[in-house]
Amino acid sequence: MAAGSVQAQSVAVTSIVEHPALDSVKDGVHQALATAGYTEAKGLKWQYQTAQGNTAIAAQIARKFVGDDPDVIVAIATPSAQAVVAATKKIPVVYSAVTDPVAAQLVPSWDASGTNVTGVSDALALEKQVELIRQIVPDAKKVGMVYNPGEANSVVVVKQMRELLPQSGMTLIEASAARTVDVGAAARSLVGKVDVIYTSTDNNVVSAFESLVKVADSARIPLIASDTDSVKRGAIAALGVNYHDLGLQTGQLVVRILKGEKPGDIPSETSARVELFVNPAAAEKQGVTLSEALIKSAAQVIQ
């Protein structure tokens, strides 16, 4: 490509809410663009807006971005991606950090969509998540889960956990939190009913994670996450995707589209790399001792 044609590229990025995982995705996308030579200094127009957890604002941002007519719109997390995909059938859309893009109706299947949409999923193999729960709380029978019933990706995970847990002799106890402010109360409703709390990458839950930690600490209920950033915030452990890597992977798709590939020709991707983070101090507060073997196998031990 001639240097001149890199000049006038525009990328608009939106996410449903600001929290460490989604911020890492955005930074990864920006870094991948820079690595490929797309920088503000060379004329890249980059804009970023977050919907502060509000789907109505997500829809407003989507409409604004469509009006701006950028070369690519990057939509981070399921509600933002749904808003953007509903708003345009023309502008290339690259989603990221969406657990199940098919259930969220962003693409018809995991294959090349033939539409204006492609992206990178943060889907996790839930068998491995169940195994981690078993390793940390070997005699757990009841697993509590706080989630937002209005978030498609969370509903998918809850449904799968409902089916998977009984195979390991456990059952799922659900508590719904439709808004961020409901997370603490939902967690409190599980006290006395569950042996462990597991959290998915539900955006409400991750945004209000401290209120969950408070309940887990005071009731001494082990808290296991699937977002590694949550371990720094007080979860005992998480086996999760590296969201900065997910952002880099997403950014590489954006670059391919800027260079002329059609989004409809690019199959949706997932991240192959999961990492285990553990927090022995949180384990102690929540009444659990982590095995040396588990601590040794972790990519990061939070001190």
Side-chain angles (χ1 to χ4, degrees), residues 135-146:
Q135 281 176 294
I136 292 172
V137 195
D139 41 11
K141 291 282 177 273
K142 292 187 161 53
V143 179
M145 210 167 152
V146 177

Side-chain angles (χ1 to χ4, degrees), residues 1 10 26 28 31 46 52 128 138 207 227 239 254-255 257 261 280 282 288 290 298:
M1 266 187 116
S10 54
K26 171 196 66 172
Q31 191 184 324
W46 165 275
Q52 284 129 14
K128 288 203 172 93
S207 299
D227 156 42
L239 185 63
V254 175
V255 169
I257 293 164
E261 273 189 69
V288 181
L290 298 178

